[in-house]
Amino acid sequence: MENTHEIQAEPATYTVALADCNGHWEVLERFAASGDIEANNYAEANYPDLEWYVLNANGENING
């Protein structure tokens, strides 16, 4: 008998943020995504005119 159940990871919490002149993050929004690619796509779609960063649950820039 084949196992037809797929294991899906829980969505992770990401943050869209801007960097201020002192190197601190200005949080715009927290959201859930299934991974870094989905998180970047979300930020691109929702903040196209800003120079945003996406931070993971540990507060680290996922593109840095």
Side-chain angles (χ1 to χ4, degrees), residues 9-18 25-44 46-47 52-64:
E10 291 292 318
T13 300
Y14 288 88
T15 302
V16 178
L18 303 176
W25 299 118
E26 177 186 337
V27 173
L28 299 177
E29 178 183 7
R30 288 187 172 82
F31 64 98
S34 63
D36 291 0
I37 294 170
E38 184 178 311
N40 275 326
N41 290 341
Y42 179 88
E44 287 175 3
N46 290 284
Y47 299 96
W52 49 263
Y53 295 86
V54 176
L55 311 177
N56 64 18
N58 296 322
E60 301 163 336
N61 178 5
I62 65 172
N63 297 305

